[in-house]
Amino acid sequence: ILDHLNSEDRFNIISFSTGTQAYASGMRPADEAAEARRWVDGLSAQGSTDINRALLEVAALVDTSGESRAATRAATRPTYVIFLTDGLPTEGEVDSQKILDNFRAAAVSNLSLFSFGVGYDVDTFLLDSLAQENRGASSYVLPDERLDEKLSAFYAKVSTPVLTGLSLDFGGLVVY
């Protein structure tokens, strides 16, 4: 994904295990992608999985990215969170419903979350619910599949959205 950012895109990366570590303190311009890639290449798996803390830090990062919460909510520019995990929540808050409730309370309205579960031992209920509640989609990558190919295909689809934030006005008609 870092290799395919559009010039006007902004990004950040938060790695998480027992704790979290951010690439930068705020959203960064696309021209820092090479430096971020070097940072990602230095990461390694370690510790437990604190999904709740990672999601709350992402929500705070989006909320404090230089715009007020009201401006962020009103913004037409979509914000995509690409959430990759290879496990179940095992650190901090581990109850899936509480994690969903916490993220729901913290996320801004223009955020779309796309989850990727890698391997066999992932909380599919949590990942599917996060994606569904936040206008995204969930995907699962089995050990014999290439994560980089799935992520590249995904990013190719979402990097230039045709339509976002659609609404229909039916006037006084009753619809279902």
Side-chain angles (χ1 to χ4, degrees):
I1 291 172
L2 289 170
D3 293 338
H4 297 95
L5 292 173
N6 295 314
S7 61
E8 67 277 0
D9 288 342
R10 296 178 312 141
F11 74 95
N12 202 339
I13 304 162
I14 296 178
S15 79
F16 63 99
S17 57
T18 304
T20 61
Q21 181 181 7
Y23 162 70
S25 61
M27 300 301 283
R28 308 304 308 154
D31 62 7
E32 284 189 23
E35 182 180 330
R37 175 131 187 166
R38 287 188 292 279
W39 185 82
V40 168
D41 288 341
L43 295 175
S44 62
Q46 56 187 350
S48 299
T49 307
D50 193 343
I51 289 175
N52 185 67
R53 183 171 171 194
L55 290 171
L56 292 178
E57 288 196 20
V58 165
L61 179 69
V62 171
D63 192 29
T64 60
S65 63
E67 302 173 19
S68 71
R69 188 172 185 93
T72 301
R73 286 177 189 251
T76 57
R77 181 181 188 148
T79 298
Y80 296 140
V81 172
I82 302 167
F83 182 67
L84 288 86
T85 183
D86 65 350
L88 303 165
T90 58
E91 180 79 19
E93 181 59 65
V94 297
D95 180 82
S96 295
Q97 189 57 55
K98 288 181 181 175
I99 293 170
L100 289 168
D101 293 342
N102 291 343
F103 190 67
R104 187 180 305 116
V108 294
S109 63
N110 68 326
L111 182 145
S112 294
L113 186 142
F114 298 88
S115 62
F116 288 84
V118 181
Y120 297 116
D121 193 25
V122 295
D123 185 340
T124 57
F125 167 77
L126 176 60
L127 297 183
D128 290 346
S129 298
L130 281 167
Q132 183 179 8
E133 289 184 15
N134 293 284
R135 293 160 304 288
S138 53
S139 298
Y140 297 95
V141 184
L142 299 176
D144 60 337
E145 296 179 305
R146 301 245 349 219
L147 177 60
D148 59 341
E149 289 176 2
K150 284 215 172 193
L151 287 172
S152 292
F154 154 77
Y155 193 73
K157 284 194 302 189
V158 300
S159 63
T160 54
V162 178
L163 299 171
T164 60
L166 297 177
S167 64
L168 296 174
D169 183 353
F170 291 99
L173 296 176
V174 177
V175 297
Y176 62 93

